Structures are given as C-alpha cells and as structure tokens.
C-alpha cells in the first residue's frame, strides 16, 4: 500500500470537516453556519438525513400516478404524506433492487413542488446526497402534497424507454419520494394509476377497483409496492400457466394485438416451467406470480426479478416465429428462479433497510450466477430449450471464458464489487475488462462444477438439486426474505455432500494471474469437452445468433452494424496485435468490397495455405491496409462427448418426474 503525504492545510481541512458533528435544523430557527460549512464553502448548513429505523411510519401515503401523456412521455405523480411540524427529509430511491447499484435515475425527476396548509413549502436538496430533499414543515401542517414528473426518455441511449404508444412499464421506484427514517416495509402506501382509455395491465399488486381507466390498489408497504411493477398496454392478455391451480400467469402486452398468439403447445412449455420449478425447489414463496411480458421492439429491453413477478421483454414475433427464439428462451426461467434465489433467499448484504442504504454484492455469484445456472437447466427441463440448445449455449460460455485474458488482472469476485459502479457498460475490450456478464456466466460454470462434483462424489445419488431444495425450499408459503452469508452457504453445501466447499469456491472466485484458468472442470466431469469447428449446425446458429459476423476466435473481432464496424476486439488477439482498436470499419477484403460473407470466404480460403488475407479499414478520414498472418480458418465453439464417460449433462437437463 502506498502512502501519500498531504499538505498541512489540506490535512487540517479534512480533520475539521470530519471531526465536527453535523447540525440538525430546528424548526423555526435561522440557518446557521459552523466550521464544517465554512471549510466546504456551503451556502448554509443542512439537516442530517435520518437513519432508517424499524418502526411504523405514522399514517398512510397516498400515491396517484398518471401515465396517459404518451405523446410527451411524461409520468405525473401526486402524493400526500402525513407529517408533523419540524424537519422532514424525503428520499428518492437510489439503490434499485435487481440493479445491484446506485442507479436511481433522479436526473429524470422534475417539477418537484411541495404544498401544505394552503402554502408552498420550499425544499433544500442535500449537498452531499442529491437523492435527499430536506423540508421544514410549519406548525399546524399535518399533511403535505408532493407533485412531480418523471420525464421518461424517447430512446434507450441513456435510460431505457418505458413509454411507447402502446405500452407503459410503470416502475414505482423511479417515480416516488418517501420519508427518511423508516424501513421500507414500515411505510404504508395506497397507490392508484390512471391509464390511457381502453388499456389493461398486469401487476402483482392487489386491485380493489378499476374504473374509468383508474386502477386502485390495496394499501401495502413501500417494499411490496416497489417490488410490484406494472406492464400496461392497449393490447393485453392474461393467461393461466399454473399446472396445479390458478396462481401463475403470463401477462402479455404487445405493440400489435396480432402478436399475442401463443399456441397450446407453447403454453404447455410454460406450464412445464412452473411444474419443474416446483419440483426443484419444493416450495413457493408467493401467493401468486405474474410474468410481465412485453412483445415489443419499441419498449426498452429488460429482464428484472421481483418476488411475485418479473419484467421481461421479448421480440414481437416471439410466439409467431417460435423457432427464431430457440436460443433465447431462458429469460423467463431465469427471472422465475429469482423468486427463490435473490428475492426469498438473499445475500445478507443486499437486505438493506430502504432504497438509500448502500447494498453490497459480495455474493452476487450466487444471486445471479446460480440463477443463471438454474435458468438454463429449467429451460431444458421444461422443453423451452432443447437439450441440443442447452449444450450449444453452454459451449459459447465455455469458449469465452477459456480464452478470456482478463483473469490475468481481475478475479471473478471483483466483477461483483465492480458492479457497484452502476450502469453495465462493457467497454471497448470486454475480454480484458471483464464485467457484469462474468458473475452471471462464469459463475454458471462454477455451479456446474459443483453440481457434477456432488454427482460424482455420491455416485449420482445426489446433486445440486438437493442443495436447491434444502436451501431455497425452506418455509413453504413464507414471503419474508431470509438473508444468508458465505458461511451459511458453505454449510448448506456440506450438508448435501461433505467437501472443502469454502476452498472450492474461493479458489474459483479469487483466481487471478497468468496461471488462472476458467472453471471448466464441470464440463469435463459431465462427460464433455470444448472443441472448435469451422461450421455450425442449425441449432448452433440459432444459439450463436451473430455467428455470421463473429470472427472473435479467428481474427479477434466481430463486425457490427450496417457499416461493418470492428467491435469486441479481443485483447492481444490477431487484430489487436496489428494495432487495430475501436473505431475502424471494414471496407474491403483482398481488394474486393467487403461484407461478412466475403470475409468468411476469405478466412476459409486462407486456411492451411499461404494465401494473403488483407483488409482495408477506414476510421474517419484515415485508411489502413492490414495483412493478417492467419491461416487457421473460422473458429466456433462446440462441446463434444468424451467417449466412455457418463453423460451428466443429459442427467442435469432431463425433466424431473417428482
């Protein structure tokens, strides 16, 4: 650890600003200054943000949203909040569930106006925490009205689109202010929402009335409200997919009514999903579960978990061109799994008191990583994905991490912690940067490793299914989240199969340096190995949707967009070593106008020969001709069987009968 010597004046300032206590503002007294304020050059002191307490908030907040202004894409909100005279702090949610970071889009909040007792009450934004608004409630005021707008965006370049001419995705946490000083489950809210004429909706909230376009919900706590988003639309259908009752539903909205056309066979697969989840976990921690599904190319893409629902977007032709979605049907199984893993059983450091207490992500490799594993497994067991699709998907994961140079400097555990920085931006060199996909997909490989280790060690009498049933399946019917620690996770694994699980997990999570390798032992133990081919089967093409533009395992890049931009440049790959970075576009291959097919043909023609492979590239006003000394042909990943071994992938992907 390096040491930095601070100038005496700076050190004195830091000591002054950290040693002095913050001042609470008393109602009716003038604003005062102190040494801390003077040192920071603040215009005036501010109250302390009250820490959350596990005590009931006195009264019920009423909440009215209006989402009818589709042309302006504005969601208007009116709240009434019971208050007492004196200081009050209202908070805008910062740490959003499922985002695992402080990503609350407060930049889109506008028009915040507070009134009470017939007069306007001014607020002061906290100068350190911009998600907090301080007020001084005058004597005699027992209720305030809070009005504001959520200025949703017309495209997804900054924030995802939540309003289109036919669909609204209402996420309460992005359009609400709540009082500081209370746990979120101790604040009661009575919510309602006005929808465009003729629209309908899906949500896990309990509706008490739906009249004249206004849906009114039973009062509930703030935690449950925020955990219960809405998909509303002009075209809507709700379908029961619960094989044992009427408790699990698809709530489908679409750009066009004709797109909502699931067949009986397709719906049977979703029923299988529910049944297979029941068999895996042996419990339900919800009274009902609502899949919110938007079939759209206009609403921003999302897959977000909640305890009794999930937000999911799919392509408009999801049902009508079923084969095209073969490689991407694991979204709903993934989000459904989160009801058990992530919402009911949750890492203790993500069980925060409210939405402005920072969460931590030390166990995100369980929260997301094991969910990724079960999502793919349930896809196969339900039939939403064929066994061949599941294996082809696994091949793409194994290939990326087997060739990933980024583990030379960053351990998998750090990708969990890195996510606290916020929005998931892959950067120009994803193979070197490592990122959020790693705690999903590389962690998936770790859990396959664990599953096959248990199977091998118990002569296939036990598996990770037994862990899931014991760890996530406890307390059937209980909704209250239960936190867990690393040690409790290890103990639960040892109860299934005694092993050095702490060492097993830490070795894989903390591996870093030139000798660190991807955790592929689970694939080998399952009776398979990774190999490389120069052509793909139709199933593999459906899984590797961008295969026609994918040269990352040959030339070290992919082609992106209609202008054939070079993207995903592999660190220290062939293109990288030729000095090619982001911003270049492919113009010609061997003197001929380029497109992906021409480049594939040229790479194939150069295989095993001395034939040249020259690319003409353009970046702005610059042109470059680069010659690749590459003669190994196209390379795509594939898993193949190891002869004479047990096919444990077949065991893992087989549907459970009990």
């Amino acid at each position: 650890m390096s040491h930095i010597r601070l100038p005496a004046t700076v050190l004195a300032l830091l000591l002054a600003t950290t040693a002095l206590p913050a001042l609470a503002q008393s109602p009716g007294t003038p604003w005062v200054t102190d040494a801390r304020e003077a040192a920071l050059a603040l215009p005036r002191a501010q109250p302390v943000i009250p820490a959350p307490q596990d005590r009931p908030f006195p009264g019920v907040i009423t909440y009215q949203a209006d989402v009818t202004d589709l042309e302006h894409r504005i969601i208007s909100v009116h709240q009434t909040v019971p208050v007492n005279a004196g200081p009050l702090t209202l908070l805008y949610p910062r740490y959003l569930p499922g985002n695992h970071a402080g990503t609350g889009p407060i930049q889109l909040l506008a028009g915040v106006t507070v009134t009470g007792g017939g007069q306007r009450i001014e607020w002061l934004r906290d100068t350190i925490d911009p998600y907090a608004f301080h007020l001084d409630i005058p004597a005699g005021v027992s209720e305030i009205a809070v009005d504001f707008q959520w200025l949703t965006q017309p495209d997804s370049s900054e924030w995802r689109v939540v309003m289109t001419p036919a669909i609204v995705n209402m996420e309460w946490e992005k359009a609400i202010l709540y009082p500081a000083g209370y746990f979120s489950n101790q604040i009661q809210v009575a919510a309602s929402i006005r929808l465009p004429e003729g629209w309908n909706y899906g949500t896990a909230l309990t509706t008490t009335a739906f009249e004249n376009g206004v849906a009114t919900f039973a009062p509930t706590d703030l935690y449950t409200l925020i955990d219960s988003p809405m998909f509303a639309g002009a075209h809507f259908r709700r379908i029961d997919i619960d094989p044992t009752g009427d408790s699990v539903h698809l709530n489908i909205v679409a750009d066009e009514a004709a797109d909502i056309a699931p067949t009986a066979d397709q719906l049977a697969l979703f029923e299988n999903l529910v049944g297979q989840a029941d068999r895996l976990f042996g419990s339900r921690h919800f009274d009902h579960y609502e899949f919110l599904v938007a079939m759209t190319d206009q609403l921003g893409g999302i897959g977000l978990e909640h305890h009794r629902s999930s937000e999911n977007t799919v392509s408009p032709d999801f049902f009508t061109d079923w084969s095209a979605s073969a490689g991407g049907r694991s979204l709903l199984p993934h989000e459904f799994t989160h009801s058990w893993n992530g919402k009911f059983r949750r890492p203790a450091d993500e069980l925060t008191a409210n939405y402005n207490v920072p969460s931590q992500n030390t166990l995100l490799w369980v929260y997301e990583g094991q969910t990724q594993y079960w999502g793919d497994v349930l896809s196969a067991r339900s039939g939403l994905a064929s066994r061949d699709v599941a294996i082809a998907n696994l091949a793409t994961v194994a290939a990326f991490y087997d060739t990933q140079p980024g583990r030379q400097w960053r351990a998998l555990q750090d990708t969990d912690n890195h996510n606290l920085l916020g929005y998931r931006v892959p950067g120009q060199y994803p193979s070197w940067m490592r990122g959020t996909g790693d705690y999903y997909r590389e962690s998936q490989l770790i859990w396959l490793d664990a599953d096959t280790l248990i199977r091998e060690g118990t002569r296939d009498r036990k598996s990770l299914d037994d862990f899931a049933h014991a760890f996530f399946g406890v307390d059937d019917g209980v909704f209250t989240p239960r936190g867990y620690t690393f040690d409790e996770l290890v103990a639960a694994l040892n109860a299934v199969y005694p092993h050095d699980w702490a060492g097993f997990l830490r070795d894989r999570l903390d591996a870093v340096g030139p000798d660190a390798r991807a955790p592929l032992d689970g694939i080998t133990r399952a009776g398979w190995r990774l190999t490389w081919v120069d052509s793909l089967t139709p199933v593999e093409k459906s899984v590797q949707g961008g295969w026609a533009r994918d040269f990352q395992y040959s030339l070290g890049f992919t082609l992106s967009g209609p202008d054939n931009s070079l993207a995903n440049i592999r660190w220290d790959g062939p293109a990288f070593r030729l000095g090619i970075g982001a911003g270049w576009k492919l113009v010609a291959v061997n003197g001929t106008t380029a497109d992906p097919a021409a480049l594939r043909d040229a790479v194939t023609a150069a295989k095993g020969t001395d034939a040249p492979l020259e690319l003409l590239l353009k970046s702005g006003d610059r042109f470059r001709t680069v010659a690749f000394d590459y003669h190994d042909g196209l390379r795509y990943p594939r898993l193949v069987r190891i002869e004479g071994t047990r096919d444990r992938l077949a065991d893992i992907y087989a549907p459970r009968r009990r």
Side-chain angles (χ1 to χ4, degrees), residues 248-412:
V248 184
H249 308 90
L250 291 175
N251 297 264
I252 307 172
V253 292
D255 295 332
E256 303 293 339
D259 291 333
I260 309 178
T263 67
D265 288 343
Q266 291 165 351
L267 292 176
L269 298 177
F270 287 102
E271 288 188 9
N272 291 344
L273 167 61
V274 177
Q276 288 297 317
D278 284 340
R279 291 179 176 90
L280 174 61
F281 298 114
S283 66
R284 289 186 178 183
H285 301 290
F286 49 79
D287 50 353
H288 63 104
Y289 188 93
E290 310 298 326
F291 286 102
L292 309 180
V293 181
M295 306 177 60
T296 178
D297 55 13
Q298 299 182 48
L299 196 75
I302 193 171
L304 189 60
E305 69 273 8
H306 303 281
H307 203 135
R308 299 187 299 158
S309 64
S310 58
E311 299 168 82
N312 311 271
T313 50
V314 298
S315 64
D317 60 359
F318 182 74
F319 292 117
T320 56
D321 189 4
W322 186 245
S323 61
S325 66
R329 297 189 202 131
S330 61
L331 175 61
L332 271 65
H334 178 102
E335 303 305 341
F336 193 36
T337 298
H338 269 314
S339 182
W340 290 268
N341 180 13
K343 302 308 290 187
F344 172 59
R345 292 307 304 267
R346 196 176 312 176
D349 58 11
E350 292 204 42
L351 268 176
T352 56
N354 66 24
Y355 304 104
N356 293 72
V357 174
S359 63
Q360 297 180 64
N361 295 332
T362 59
L363 294 169
L364 209 52
W365 47 273
V366 188
Y367 184 119
E368 294 292 4
Q370 195 176 133
T371 295
Q372 186 77 4
Y373 180 69
W374 290 128
D376 282 3
V377 168
L378 288 174
S379 295
R381 291 181 183 178
S382 66
L384 282 167
S386 69
R387 177 176 172 273
D388 288 345
V389 164
I391 292 172
N393 264 321
L394 185 58
T396 66
V397 177
F400 181 82
Y401 292 104
D402 191 47
T403 60
Q404 185 192 50
R407 69 184 68 254
Q408 295 178 27
W409 73 279
R410 170 176 279 177
L412 176 61

Side-chain angles (χ1 to χ4, degrees), residues 150-328:
W150 174 16
L151 307 181
T152 79
Q153 301 297 282
D155 60 61
S156 295
S157 59
E158 297 289 342
W159 287 273
R160 59 178 288 268
V161 171
V162 297
M163 298 184 78
T164 79
I167 301 172
V168 168
N169 177 193
M170 183 62 187
E171 298 176 307
W172 312 99
E173 73 275 13
K174 295 177 181 174
I176 198 167
L177 293 171
Y178 70 95
Y182 303 88
F183 281 22
S184 60
N185 62 357
Q186 292 280 26
I187 300 173
Q188 290 291 303
V189 184
S192 64
I193 187 169
R194 179 175 293 280
L195 302 175
E197 183 177 355
W199 282 32
N200 211 327
Y201 63 92
T203 181
L205 295 173
T206 299
T207 300
T208 58
F210 185 33
E211 300 174 347
N212 300 318
V214 176
T216 303
F217 305 107
T220 190
D221 58 86
L222 179 66
Y223 172 86
T224 301
L225 176 69
I226 285 179
D227 196 44
S228 307
M230 169 188 287
F231 273 15
H235 315 298
F236 173 83
R237 185 177 171 190
R238 187 171 189 251
I239 305 170
D240 172 27
I241 56 168
D242 189 348
T244 62
D246 184 21
S247 298
V248 184
H249 308 90
L250 291 175
N251 297 264
I252 307 172
V253 292
D255 295 332
E256 303 293 339
D259 291 333
I260 309 178
T263 67
D265 288 343
Q266 291 165 351
L267 292 176
L269 298 177
F270 287 102
E271 288 188 9
N272 291 344
L273 167 61
V274 177
Q276 288 297 317
D278 284 340
R279 291 179 176 90
L280 174 61
F281 298 114
S283 66
R284 289 186 178 183
H285 301 290
F286 49 79
D287 50 353
H288 63 104
Y289 188 93
E290 310 298 326
F291 286 102
L292 309 180
V293 181
M295 306 177 60
T296 178
D297 55 13
Q298 299 182 48
L299 196 75
I302 193 171
L304 189 60
E305 69 273 8
H306 303 281
H307 203 135
R308 299 187 299 158
S309 64
S310 58
E311 299 168 82
N312 311 271
T313 50
V314 298
S315 64
D317 60 359
F318 182 74
F319 292 117
T320 56
D321 189 4
W322 186 245
S323 61
S325 66

Side-chain angles (χ1 to χ4, degrees), residues 466-485:
D466 296 281
F467 165 82
H469 197 282
F471 193 70
F472 300 115
V474 295
D475 297 337
D476 184 25
V478 173
F479 300 174
T480 305
R482 288 184 52 174
Y484 64 86
T485 64

Side-chain angles (χ1 to χ4, degrees), residues 34-118:
D34 62 7
R36 172 180 182 272
E37 178 182 340
L40 293 177
L42 298 178
R44 56 187 182 179
Q46 58 187 345
V48 174
I49 301 173
Q53 304 290 323
D54 191 7
R55 54 174 179 163
F57 175 74
V60 178
I61 296 172
T62 64
Y63 179 97
Q64 300 169 341
D66 188 321
V67 299
T68 60
D69 193 353
L70 301 176
E71 294 300 326
H72 290 119
R73 299 177 188 259
I74 294 173
I75 294 177
S76 298
V77 174
H78 174 79
Q79 297 180 211
T80 62
V81 183
V83 295
N84 294 314
L88 172 70
T89 299
L90 296 176
L91 301 175
Y92 180 85
R94 180 173 187 173
Y95 295 92
L96 303 187
N99 284 214
H100 314 295
T103 55
I106 196 167
Q107 297 90 334
L108 305 183
L109 196 71
V112 179
T113 305
V114 181
T115 58

